[in-house]
């Protein structure tokens, strides 16, 4: 382990020297080979191979190491950059040649904490298959990257994970051993024993003032709430009393009569008060007085509500006139309408039940399809394993051919590098000559620019002296103005400033008079509109009282008619869908037993069953709520039509 540690330290030192010099890689490798002549041939070959590989694939290694410092290695020092590059190169390019055991020895020879962090980051399957593949594909071809580098790393990932777990155990043992270190035990000084202190006189215990008890109002409800409850009870009692009185004093025109019966004199007398809305004598609603401020309506709301009530009164008068002329009731039509609505509600409930059963049927079909998909996936996985075995064999053969070609290429490169030094000396001489020519040209340009700047400075000085001479000349200031004199520009309507001021004063006076007249007209219009609004508000109050009585009657009838919803009638479509759902469920159970495949998400079978039960329970509850709403709306519509017919 110490042997590999020294080799890795030598490689790291050489990499640091190359980054500091920033020269060509070929010259650096030659200098390194001459410096490592004192080492053994085996160690020298290992160091040179790792060093040349790190320099050749420096871009690929820099992608991984830079990302490690940004994401997981924020606390690692930058001095270990070369160490992480070497480990990354060995894991990517030399792991199969060295062998996993030799790679473990190299890793254990380095600091455990750093190696655990870097290997966990680099061999993370999510990192290898996502951004590392994308970044390396920008430098080399994607297929080459996946076959030669990402694939072997993914195959070695389980063994590397075991190595990471071993490193974590080593770290844990080191931390435990550090905590169990021997603690220094202090010894007491041999000091003179002090005299015993005298017992101090106890201080008197202070007497605390008695606290005030909690007031009873804390546990009592507020008076406002009691006042609201009293107001509600009083208003309820008043509404019931008005409802009873309205039922007892019901007009004869509201009682249905047979078709063709002429109206009597009593009915005509009872109809007279209903002809004019202002002559209706309705009992005034007296509520218990509270401090609540009434809602104040604006003009648009008052007019809108007044026109609405006016239309309602006109419709009511037309209906009464038709009744007086002998129009009949609509009892048969209302009965037929109720039957049609009941049939429609039953059809709607049957359709909702069919929709629910169709959803359940599609759920069973989805489970069957999922089971078939699992069986197909198993067959595809077996086929994929056979294909991967063949590909692995082909990759091994291709790697052997590439290694042979690389060795031939290295021999050819070594032959070419012998003539590199002569070319470098010629290039250096040519560059020195070019630099000398550029320096001479720059000197000439600087001299010309200095002469041009001196001429420009002399010209600016002459201009400044001329401007200062012009400023010293005397200038006449001030101008005599006559406000009564006409300018004399030859324009039409030309006048002096005094005449202009007089005309402006006259114009202001005429505008003030016009504004006063408009103000008087606006005040008169507001008074007329306020009178009209007051009349409309009186009419609205009468209509609201009548509508309050009718609303109380409707509420009482709705409360009496509210009952439990009837069970939905069974339909042939519903029975057929239930039969299909049972058949699909039986087929799913048989398919699961034949294939010996657990139900989908077996680990969460109980929560999924609970969710399904809750889902169907919510569907049943929504269906019952819809049925009650339909029955309630049907009863309300029927009651309204009966009132209109009456």
């Amino acid at each position: 382990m110490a042997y590999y540690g020294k080799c890795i330290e030598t490689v790291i030192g050489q990499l640091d020297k190359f980054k500091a010099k920033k020269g060509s890689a070929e010259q650096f490798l030659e200098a390194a080979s001459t410096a490592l002549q004192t080492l053994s041939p085996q160690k020298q070959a290992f160091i040179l191979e790792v060093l040349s590989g790190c320099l050749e694939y420096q871009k690929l290694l820099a992608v991984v190491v830079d990302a490690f410092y940004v994401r997981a290695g924020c606390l690692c020092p930058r001095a270990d950059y070369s160490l992480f590059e070497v480990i990354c190169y060995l894991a990517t390019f030399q792991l199969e040649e060295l062998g996993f055991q030799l790679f473990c020895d190299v890793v254990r020879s380095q600091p455990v904490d750093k190696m655990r962090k870097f290997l966990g980051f680099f061999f993370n399957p999510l990192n290898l298959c996502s951004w590392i593949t994308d970044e390396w594909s920008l430098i080399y071809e994607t297929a080459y990257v996946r076959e030669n580098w990402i694939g072997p790393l993914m195959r070695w990932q389980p063994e590397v994970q075991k190595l990471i777990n071993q490193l974590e155990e080593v770290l844990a043992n080191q931390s435990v051993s550090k905590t169990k270190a021997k603690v220094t035990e202090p010894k007491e000084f041999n000091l003179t024993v002090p005299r015993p202190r005298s017992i101090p006189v106890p201080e008197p215990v202070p007497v605390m003032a008695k606290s005030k008890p909690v007031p009873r109002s804390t546990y009592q409800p507020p008076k406002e709430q009691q006042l609201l409850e009293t107001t509600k009870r009083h208003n309820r009692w008043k509404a019931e009393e008005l409802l009873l009185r309205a039922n007892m004093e019901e007009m004869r025109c509201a009682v249905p009569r047979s078709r063709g019966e002429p109206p009597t004199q009593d009915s005509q007398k009872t109809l007279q008060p209903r002809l004019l809305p202002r002559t209706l004598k309705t009992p005034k609603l007296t509520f218990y007085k509270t401090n609540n401020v009434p809602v104040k309506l604006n003009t648009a709301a008052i007019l809108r509500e007044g026109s609405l009530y006016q239309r309602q009164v006109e419709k009511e008068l037309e209906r009464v006139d038709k009744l007086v002329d002998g129009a009949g009731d609509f009892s048969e039509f209302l009965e037929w309408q109720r039957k049609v609505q009941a049939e429609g509600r039953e059809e709607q409930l049957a359709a909702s039940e069919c929709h629910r059963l169709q959803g359940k049927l599609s759920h069973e079909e989805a489970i069957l399809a999922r089971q078939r998909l699992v069986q197909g996936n198993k067959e595809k996985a077996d086929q994929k394993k056979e294909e991967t075995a063949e590909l692995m064999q082909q990759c091994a053969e291709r790697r052997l051919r590439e290694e042979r070609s690389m060795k031939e290429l290295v021999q050819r490169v070594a032959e070419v590098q012998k003539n590199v030094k002569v070319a470098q000396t010629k290039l250096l001489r040519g560059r020195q000559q070019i630099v000398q020519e550029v320096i001479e040209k720059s000197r000439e340009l600087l001299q010309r620019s200095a002469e041009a700047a001196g001429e420009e400075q002399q010209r600016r000085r002459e201009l400044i002296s001329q401007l200062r001479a012009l400023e010293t000349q005397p200038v006449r200031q001030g101008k005599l103005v006559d406000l009564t004199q006409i300018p004399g520009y030859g324009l039409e309507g030309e006048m002096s400033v005094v005449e202009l001021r007089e005309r402006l004063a006259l114009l202001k006076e005429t505008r003030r008079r016009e504004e006063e007249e408009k103000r008087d007209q606006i005040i008169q219009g507001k008074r007329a509109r306020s009178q009209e609004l007051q009349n409309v508000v009186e009419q609205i109050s009468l209509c609201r009282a009548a509508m309050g009585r009718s609303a109380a009657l409707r509420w009482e009838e709705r409360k009496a008619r509210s009952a439990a919803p009837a069970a939905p009638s069974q339909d042939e479509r519903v029975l057929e869908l239930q039969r299909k759902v049972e058949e699909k469920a039986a087929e799913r159970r048989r398919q699961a037993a034949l294939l010996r495949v657990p139900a989908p998400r077996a680990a969460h079978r109980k929560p999924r069953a609970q969710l399904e039960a809750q889902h169907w329970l919510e569907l049943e509850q929504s269906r019952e709520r819809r049925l009650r709403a339909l029955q309630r709306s049907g009863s309300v519509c029927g009651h309204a039509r009966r009132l209109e017919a009456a």
Side-chain angles (χ1 to χ4, degrees):
M1 204 175 287
Y3 172 79
Y4 295 112
K6 291 181 180 178
C7 293
I8 297 299
E9 288 179 1
T10 306
V11 174
I12 293 169
Q14 294 294 331
L15 282 176
D16 293 338
K17 290 179 182 178
F18 176 73
K19 291 176 182 177
K21 293 180 179 178
K22 295 183 180 179
S24 61
E26 293 80 4
Q27 293 179 358
F28 180 76
L29 288 174
E30 291 180 0
S33 62
T34 55
L36 299 174
Q37 292 295 333
T38 58
L39 300 177
S40 61
Q42 185 179 2
K43 186 182 292 187
Q44 184 179 359
F46 177 76
I47 292 172
L48 289 175
E49 184 178 2
V50 174
L51 184 60
S52 62
C54 291
L55 294 177
E56 182 180 359
Y57 298 104
Q58 190 173 9
K59 292 183 179 179
L60 298 179
L61 304 178
V63 169
V64 179
V65 178
D66 292 340
F68 169 71
Y69 272 103
V70 172
R71 300 186 182 185
C74 299
L75 302 179
C76 296
R78 297 294 295 186
D80 297 331
Y81 192 91
S82 302
L83 171 63
F84 295 135
E85 282 187 344
V86 172
I87 298 299
C88 183
Y89 170 76
L90 293 176
T92 308
F93 301 98
Q94 299 291 331
L95 185 56
E96 294 183 357
E97 294 181 2
L98 292 176
F100 187 72
Q101 187 62 37
L102 189 58
F103 178 74
C104 293
D105 295 340
V106 172
V107 170
R108 291 192 182 97
S109 66
Q110 303 302 321
V112 180
D113 188 17
K114 298 176 183 178
M115 292 296 102
R116 180 186 62 82
K117 283 185 180 180
F118 182 74
L119 292 177
F121 172 79
F122 181 53
F123 280 92
N124 189 356
L126 182 61
N127 295 337
L128 284 173
C129 298
S130 59
W131 60 269
I132 292 178
T133 305
D134 297 338
E135 293 293 334
W136 285 1
S137 298
L138 297 176
I139 304 171
Y140 293 91
E141 293 183 358
T142 305
Y144 185 79
V145 170
R146 291 183 182 276
E147 291 177 2
N148 296 331
W149 298 331
I150 300 299
L153 289 174
M154 292 299 296
R155 289 196 301 273
W156 285 107
Q157 199 272 338
E159 288 79 0
V160 175
Q161 187 63 37
K162 294 179 182 179
L163 175 61
I164 293 170
N165 296 334
Q166 294 175 4
L167 295 176
E168 290 179 353
E169 292 177 0
V170 172
L171 281 175
N173 295 332
Q174 289 179 0
S175 62
V176 171
S177 62
K178 288 180 181 178
T179 53
K180 292 183 179 180
K182 185 177 180 181
V183 182
T184 304
E185 296 179 357
K187 294 183 180 180
E188 296 182 357
F189 293 102
N190 188 10
L191 301 175
T192 305
V193 179
R195 295 180 181 179
R197 295 183 179 181
S198 59
I199 300 173
V201 179
E203 297 180 357
V205 179
V207 179
M208 302 297 293
K210 188 176 181 181
S211 61
K212 294 183 180 180
V214 180
R216 295 182 179 179
S217 60
T218 306
Y219 305 101
Q220 293 177 356
K223 294 182 180 180
E224 290 78 4
Q225 188 175 358
Q226 297 177 1
L227 187 62
L228 288 173
E229 294 293 336
T230 307
T231 305
K232 288 180 182 178
R233 288 196 300 270
H234 186 76
N235 292 341
R236 175 75 178 181
W237 174 72
K238 283 288 184 182
E240 291 177 354
E241 183 180 356
L242 290 173
L243 177 62
L244 181 61
R245 189 183 302 172
N247 292 333
M248 292 175 64
E249 298 177 0
E250 187 176 8
M251 296 182 181
R252 290 188 180 181
C253 64
V255 180
R257 63 176 183 273
S258 61
R259 189 183 301 274
E261 181 180 355
T264 59
Q265 294 180 357
D266 297 337
S267 64
Q268 292 178 358
K269 290 179 182 179
T270 55
L271 285 172
Q272 292 296 330
R274 294 175 61 90
L275 294 177
L276 296 174
R278 287 187 178 276
T279 58
L280 282 171
K281 295 181 179 180
T282 56
K284 296 182 179 180
L285 293 174
T286 57
F287 297 94
Y288 193 78
K289 294 182 180 180
T290 59
N291 294 328
N292 295 331
V293 180
V295 178
K296 185 177 180 181
L297 299 176
N298 55 7
T299 304
I302 293 171
L303 294 176
R304 195 185 301 113
E305 192 171 2
S307 62
L308 175 64
Y309 289 146
Q310 187 66 30
R311 289 195 298 271
Q312 291 179 359
V313 169
E314 291 175 358
K315 289 181 181 178
E316 185 69 20
L317 291 175
E318 290 178 1
R319 189 182 65 82
V320 171
D321 291 339
K322 289 180 181 179
L323 290 174
V324 171
D325 294 338
D329 56 352
F330 299 92
S331 59
E332 296 179 359
F333 173 73
L334 294 175
E335 185 67 25
W336 172 80
Q337 193 175 20
R338 281 196 298 274
K339 289 181 181 178
V340 171
Q341 289 177 355
E343 292 176 359
R345 285 194 296 271
E346 291 178 359
E347 183 67 24
Q348 187 176 2
L349 291 175
S352 63
E353 184 68 18
C354 289
H355 184 67
R356 184 182 68 83
L357 292 173
Q358 286 175 359
K360 202 168 183 180
L361 181 62
S362 64
H363 177 69
E364 295 292 338
E365 291 176 353
I367 293 175
L368 285 172
R370 195 181 295 114
Q371 290 178 353
R372 298 191 192 100
L373 182 63
V374 169
Q375 184 66 21
N377 289 339
K378 283 187 175 180
E379 296 175 358
K380 290 179 182 179
D382 297 337
Q383 186 179 0
K384 195 71 177 176
K385 287 179 181 178
E386 295 176 359
E387 293 177 358
T388 51
E390 295 176 359
L391 290 174
M392 289 292 293
Q393 187 176 0
Q394 294 176 3
C395 288
E397 295 175 357
R398 190 184 301 110
R399 187 173 181 81
L400 291 174
R401 291 195 298 269
E402 289 179 357
E403 288 178 356
R404 293 171 186 171
S405 62
M406 288 296 291
K407 288 180 181 178
E408 294 176 358
L409 182 62
V410 169
Q411 292 176 359
R412 284 181 288 178
V413 169
E415 293 176 357
V416 172
Q417 285 179 356
K418 295 179 180 179
N419 300 324
V420 171
K421 292 184 179 180
V422 179
Q424 286 181 351
T425 54
K426 292 181 180 179
L427 181 63
L428 183 61
R429 292 173 185 173
R431 287 179 179 177
Q432 290 177 355
Q433 187 176 1
I434 292 169
V435 168
Q436 190 67 25
E437 293 176 357
V438 170
I439 290 171
E440 292 177 357
K441 290 182 180 179
S442 62
R443 286 176 183 174
E444 293 178 359
L445 292 174
L446 287 173
Q447 187 175 1
R448 292 175 186 175
S449 62
E451 293 176 357
E455 293 176 357
E456 183 68 20
Q457 187 71 17
Q458 185 65 26
R459 189 176 61 82
R460 288 181 179 178
R461 288 176 183 174
E462 293 176 357
L463 288 174
I464 290 169
S465 62
Q466 292 175 6
L467 290 173
R468 287 179 179 175
L470 290 174
E471 289 177 356
T472 54
Q473 292 181 359
V475 180
R476 183 178 179 182
Q477 297 179 355
K479 186 178 180 181
L480 297 176
V481 179
D482 188 5
L483 299 178
T484 59
Q485 187 179 0
I486 297 173
Y489 295 121
L491 301 175
E492 187 178 356
E494 200 171 14
M495 65 183 73
S496 63
V497 177
V498 176
E499 185 179 358
L500 179 61
R501 289 176 180 174
E502 291 178 358
R503 290 193 181 187
L504 287 175
L506 293 174
L507 184 60
K508 288 181 181 178
E509 183 66 22
T510 54
R511 286 185 179 178
R512 185 180 61 78
R513 291 175 185 175
E514 291 176 359
E515 287 177 358
E516 289 179 356
E517 293 176 359
K518 288 183 180 179
R519 190 178 294 109
D520 295 337
Q521 293 176 3
I522 290 169
I523 290 170
Q524 292 176 4
K526 285 184 178 179
R527 288 176 182 174
R529 283 197 298 274
S530 64
Q531 185 65 30
E532 293 177 0
L533 288 175
Q534 188 175 1
N535 297 334
V536 174
V537 168
E538 292 178 359
Q539 186 178 359
I540 289 171
S541 63
L542 294 174
C543 294
R544 281 182 178 177
M547 291 182 69
R549 291 196 301 273
S550 63
L553 287 171
R554 288 197 300 271
W555 185 81
E556 289 293 336
E557 290 185 3
R558 193 185 303 117
K559 184 177 179 182
R561 290 178 181 274
S562 61
S569 61
Q570 295 293 332
D571 197 352
E572 294 181 358
R573 295 177 297 171
V574 177
L575 297 175
E576 182 66 21
L577 287 173
Q578 288 179 353
R579 184 180 60 78
K580 288 182 179 180
V581 169
E582 292 176 358
E583 291 178 358
K584 290 292 182 181
E587 185 179 355
R588 175 176 58 81
R589 287 191 289 270
R590 288 196 302 271
Q591 187 73 14
L594 290 174
L595 299 177
R596 294 182 180 180
V597 177
R601 298 183 185 177
H604 305 280
R605 186 178 298 170
K606 185 174 180 181
R608 184 175 181 82
Q610 292 178 359
L611 290 173
E612 290 180 356
Q614 184 178 1
H615 174 67
W616 298 116
L617 181 61
E618 289 178 356
L619 287 177
E620 293 290 341
Q621 292 177 356
S622 65
R623 187 169 59 83
E624 293 177 358
R625 286 198 298 270
R626 197 178 303 131
L627 177 62
R628 287 198 295 270
L630 290 171
Q631 290 179 350
R632 193 179 301 113
S633 63
S635 62
V636 171
C637 293
H639 178 63
R641 290 190 179 89
R642 285 196 299 274
L643 288 177
E644 290 178 359

